[in-house]
Amino acid sequence: MQWHEWSPEAFALAAREDKPILLDIGAVWCHWCHVMDRESYEDATLAQVINEHYIAVKVDRDERPDVDSRYQAAISAISGQGGWPLTAILTPDGRPFFGGTYFPRDDRYGRPGFERVLLTLADVWKTKRGDALETAGSVLAAIEHGESFSGRGGSLGIELIDKLIASAVNQFDVSNGGFGTQPKFPHPAALDLLMDVAARTGNEAAKQAAVVTLQKMAAGGIYDHLGGGFHRYSVDERWVVPHFEKMLYDNAELLKNYVHAFQTFVEPEFARVAKDMMRWMDEWLTDRERGGFYASQDADVSLDDDGDYFTWTREEAAAVLTEDELAVAGLYFDIGEMGDMHHNPKKNVLHVKYSVEDVAQRLSRSVDEVRATLALAYKKLYAARLERPTPFIDKTVYTSWNALGVSAYLEAAHVLQLASPREFALKTLNRILSEGWSNESGLAHVIAYTDDKPARQRVAGVLDDYAFLTHACVDAWQATGDVRYYNAAIEIGDAMIARFYDATGGGFFDTEVPKGDVLGALVARRKPLQDTPTPAGIPAAAAALLRLEALSGREDFREKAEDTLEHFGGVVEHFGLYAGTYGLALERLLLPPIQVVVIGEDEHAYQMAAMATARYAVNKSVIALHREQITAAHLPPVLAETLPALPLLKDQASFAVVCRGNTCQPPTSDAEELLKELSGV
C-alpha cells in the first residue's frame, strides 16, 4: 500500500494522475480500524487495486479532528453512518461522493466486499463522472450545514437551563443510571450541570440522576476495578460490558465529575473512585519526567481478542486466588462459569453485583472479613493481570486533551487536598505553554508523538485547544496565585478571538480562518455546539471568556461570550444531554461570579479554604494567596482594585474575602461568618 499523509502533495498527485482519493480515517485505539487494516489494506491483491485506481490517504482522527469532523458529517449525509474506521471516496480536490465505515474484505455481514466497492467506484469515476461530481457538490454543502447550527431567539434565562435539566431527567434510567438505553456513554458536562443545579436549587430529580449514574458507572464493568479508570462506553444499559479502550478525555472529565460529587454530597465512595482514577492515569497515562498526559490505551492486544486483558474466566481467577478468596471475589465481582463476552462466553467483565454487606450476609461472614479478603483478591488479580501482554498506550500528547487533564488534576488536588496531582498538572501545563504556544504562530495541536519523533508538519491548534487551555491557565492561576498563568490565559484568550471568532455572524468557528489554498472539506466552516463527548468548543470558549472577564474586567470578553451564547439560544434546548457544556457556560453568564480569596499561610487559612470549597458551583472559585502576592503587579485587575487596600493585610491573622459579582463583603477571620457569607452561593 502506498499511503500518503493528508497534505497538498497528496491532493496534487491525485489531480495530476486524475485519480479519486481513498480516505481512511481511524484511530490508534480503534479495534475495527485494525481489523480493516489487516483484512484489506495488508492484502496484496487489494493493495494493488488501490494503488492502481486511487491515491490513498490515511488520517488519524485524534491528530486531525478538523478533517475527521467534516468527513464524518459528509459520510453521515451520504450513508447515514458514522464512526471509525471512516472510509470515503473523494474527488481529487477532496469532495466526497461515496463512503461508509467498516467494509469487510469480501461480501459478508450483509456488507459489500471492499474490493467490489473499490472497483465499482473506480469505474464510476471513469464512466459516470458527472454523477460523482453532482453528488460531491451536494455533500459538501451538507458538511457545512451539519453542525453550523444557528438560532437566535428567545431570552437567555434560567428557564433555558431548566429545559436542559428536564431533558436529562426525562431520559434518566432510574434502574441502571445513565440516560436512555444501550449503548450508554458517559455525559460528563451534563452530569456537572445536574450537580450544579441540584446543589444550587435543591432539585432532587437532578441530584438523583447525577448521583445514581455516578454510582452505577463506578460499580459497572465500564470501570476498571483492578487498574482504575473508565473505558469509553458500555454496549449494554447496565454498564457491564464496555468497549475496552480508555481515553484521556473521558477520564479527565469523569474525574471532575467524581470530585464535584464528593465536594457536594460528601460521599466517600466518590473520593475513592477519583483517587483510583488518578492512580491509573499516574501509572499508565502520564510522562512523569517531562509532564504530559498520554492520549489513550487500546482495548486489545491483538485483533483476535476482545478485551481479554481486562476480563477473566472462572478458571483464570481460580488459578490466582485461594478457594476462600474466590468465594468472596467471585460473588462480589460476579465471576461465573458463564461470563459476559460474545466472543468467549466464559470471559467475565468484573463488575460489582453485590455490596460488601450483601456478600458478608450471603457467606455468613463479617463485613470486615469480606473487606480484608477482597483487598487480597484485588492485589492478586491485578498482579496476575500485569503479567499479561499490556494493550498499547498511545503516548501522543495533544494540547486540548492535556488541558482537560490539567484542569481535572488541579480540581482534584484542591478538593481532595492532594499535593501530587497539583504538581503534575503544573508541570504538564508548563510544558504545553513552553512547547506548544507562541504569540506569533499560536497553539500547536500536537505537542509530542508516541514515538517521540517530531512531526513532518505542524498541526495547528483548533478551537478546543485554545478554549480548554485558557480554562487550564485560569485554573492554574487559582491554584497558585502565580500571575504568569493569568497572563497566559489572557494571551491565549485574545488569540482565540482573533483566530476563531466570527465577527460577522457571531460565535466561533472550530478552525482558524483559512489562509491560502484549503484542502478538501476543510473549506467548510463549522460551529460545533454539542458535546461529542469532549466539551463542545463554542460554549467552552464562551465560558473561558466569562472567566477572564471576571478577573480582568474587560467588557469585550463578556460581550463576545454573550453574543456567542445568544447565537444558539433558539435551538440549544433540542440538544438536551449534548448541550451540557452550553448549560454550564450559560450559568456563568447568568449567575454572578463568586470569588472567595483566602489570604494567609497558617492552619486557619487552610481550614477556611477547605470550608469555602464545600459544594460545587460552576460560578464559584476559591483562591488561596500569600500576603506577598497581594500587590497590583501580582493580581488580575479586578482583584488588584480591592485586595491591596484591605486593612487586615497589616495584621498577621489569616482572613477571607467573598466577592459576588462587583460587590465584596468585608473581610473576615471568623469561620462562622465566612459560612454565613457563602450560604447563598
Side-chain angles (χ1 to χ4, degrees), residues 640-658:
E641 290 177 2
T642 56
L643 294 186
L646 293 175
L648 286 183
L649 283 172
K650 299 174 183 178
D651 303 330
Q652 292 304 308
S654 299
F655 64 95
V657 182
V658 178

Side-chain angles (χ1 to χ4, degrees), residues 581-635:
T581 301
Y582 182 97
L584 293 167
L586 184 56
E587 284 193 314
R588 287 190 184 276
L589 177 72
L590 299 177
L591 303 174
I594 309 297
Q595 295 170 335
V596 185
V597 182
V598 180
I599 299 169
E601 302 172 56
D602 57 11
E603 182 64 24
H604 186 54
Y606 182 78
Q607 291 173 354
M608 284 194 293
M611 189 180 300
T613 299
R615 194 175 70 74
Y616 167 62
V618 69
N619 61 321
K620 180 179 70 174
S621 56
V622 180
I623 308 149
L625 299 174
H626 301 159
R627 274 178 166 74
E628 59 268 22
Q629 293 175 310
I630 311 301
T631 68
H634 290 88
L635 292 170

Side-chain angles (χ1 to χ4, degrees), residues 339-607:
D340 309 295
M341 303 300 296
H342 288 298
H343 79 294
N344 183 352
K346 292 186 176 182
K347 278 282 194 175
N348 292 271
V349 181
L350 301 188
H351 60 280
V352 179
K353 184 174 183 179
Y354 298 107
S355 69
V356 170
E357 291 75 15
D358 287 338
V359 172
Q361 184 178 10
R362 286 170 178 267
L363 297 179
S364 299
R365 304 186 187 186
S366 71
V367 169
D368 288 343
E369 184 182 358
V370 170
R371 289 190 193 281
T373 304
L374 273 177
L376 286 173
Y378 268 106
K379 290 180 181 179
K380 288 184 177 182
L381 289 169
Y382 189 47
R385 198 177 85 175
L386 291 175
E387 296 296 319
R388 299 173 177 178
T390 305
F392 176 74
I393 301 290
D394 178 7
K395 295 185 178 180
T396 308
V397 177
Y398 294 109
T399 293
S400 54
W401 298 0
N402 267 255
L404 295 177
V406 167
S407 291
Y409 263 45
L410 289 174
E411 192 86 346
H414 175 61
V415 173
L416 303 178
Q417 301 175 5
L418 301 171
S420 177
R422 177 181 183 274
E423 293 166 2
F424 184 78
L426 295 175
K427 178 186 282 190
T428 296
L429 180 57
N430 291 339
R431 181 184 180 188
I432 301 299
L433 292 172
S434 172
E435 298 181 19
W437 163 250
S438 76
N439 271 314
E440 295 73 29
S441 56
L443 271 175
H445 176 61
V446 183
I447 302 300
Y449 285 90
T450 195
D451 55 8
D452 236 9
K453 293 179 181 177
R456 285 189 287 272
Q457 54 183 341
R458 180 180 184 272
V459 181
V462 294
L463 177 62
D464 287 3
D465 295 299
Y466 285 77
F468 300 168
L469 193 62
T470 302
H471 281 286
C473 288
V474 175
D475 291 334
W477 179 77
Q478 289 180 183
T480 64
D482 188 334
V483 75
R484 290 180 305 143
Y485 294 122
Y486 165 77
N487 291 334
I490 292 291
E491 288 181 359
I492 296 167
D494 279 332
M496 179 173 71
I497 292 170
R499 294 171 182 267
F500 299 92
Y501 186 68
D502 181 1
T504 302
F508 288 85
F509 293 114
D510 66 332
T511 56
E512 294 188 34
V513 176
K515 297 175 183 176
D517 294 334
V518 180
L519 300 181
L522 290 181
V523 70
R525 309 294 283 145
R526 292 178 63 252
K527 293 179 179 179
L529 174 64
Q530 57 184 337
D531 303 327
T532 59
T534 52
I538 282 182
L545 295 184
L546 290 168
R547 296 183 76 186
L548 293 179
E549 186 265 342
L551 294 170
S552 68
R554 283 179 47 179
E555 292 185 3
D556 61 315
F557 284 152
R558 183 176 183 85
E559 289 167 358
K560 288 180 173 60
E562 186 168 2
D563 181 69
T564 295
L565 296 175
E566 282 183 347
H567 190 73
F568 303 98
V571 297
V572 70
E573 68 180 88
H574 302 296
F575 291 87
L577 283 169
Y578 299 92
T581 301
Y582 182 97
L584 293 167
L586 184 56
E587 284 193 314
R588 287 190 184 276
L589 177 72
L590 299 177
L591 303 174
I594 309 297
Q595 295 170 335
V596 185
V597 182
V598 180
I599 299 169
E601 302 172 56
D602 57 11
E603 182 64 24
H604 186 54
Y606 182 78
Q607 291 173 354

Side-chain angles (χ1 to χ4, degrees), residues 230-393:
F230 282 89
H231 302 292
R232 195 161 68 95
Y233 69 94
S234 173
V235 302
D236 65 287
E237 63 187 10
R238 296 185 299 119
W239 304 105
V240 173
V241 180
H243 260 223
F244 288 94
E245 60 272 5
K246 294 182 187 178
M247 311 302 298
L248 167 58
Y249 57 75
D250 283 327
N251 283 279
E253 292 299 281
L254 285 167
L255 174 58
K256 285 193 283 190
N257 285 157
Y258 282 90
V259 167
H260 294 157
F262 173 71
Q263 183 180 6
T264 302
F265 307 117
V266 203
E267 170 55 58
E269 176 66 3
F270 292 140
R272 185 200 67 80
V273 173
K275 292 175 182 176
D276 200 43
M277 292 175 71
M278 289 189 287
R279 171 177 66 91
W280 171 70
M281 295 172 77
D282 286 348
E283 184 174 359
W284 296 100
L285 223 62
T286 54
D287 183 336
R288 306 310 297 177
E289 181 181 347
R290 294 180 294 178
F293 292 93
Y294 301 143
S296 62
Q297 182 176 29
D298 274 12
D300 312 307
V301 174
S302 73
L303 300 181
D304 301 316
D305 73 69
D306 185 1
D308 286 356
Y309 173 79
F310 299 99
T311 55
W312 297 81
T313 65
R314 180 85 178 185
E315 185 179 9
E316 287 170 338
V320 173
L321 304 176
T322 66
E323 186 176 339
D324 182 59
E325 290 162 351
L326 181 59
V328 174
L331 192 58
Y332 182 75
F333 281 131
D334 195 22
I335 306 173
E337 294 292 343
M338 292 300 294
D340 309 295
M341 303 300 296
H342 288 298
H343 79 294
N344 183 352
K346 292 186 176 182
K347 278 282 194 175
N348 292 271
V349 181
L350 301 188
H351 60 280
V352 179
K353 184 174 183 179
Y354 298 107
S355 69
V356 170
E357 291 75 15
D358 287 338
V359 172
Q361 184 178 10
R362 286 170 178 267
L363 297 179
S364 299
R365 304 186 187 186
S366 71
V367 169
D368 288 343
E369 184 182 358
V370 170
R371 289 190 193 281
T373 304
L374 273 177
L376 286 173
Y378 268 106
K379 290 180 181 179
K380 288 184 177 182
L381 289 169
Y382 189 47
R385 198 177 85 175
L386 291 175
E387 296 296 319
R388 299 173 177 178
T390 305
F392 176 74
I393 301 290

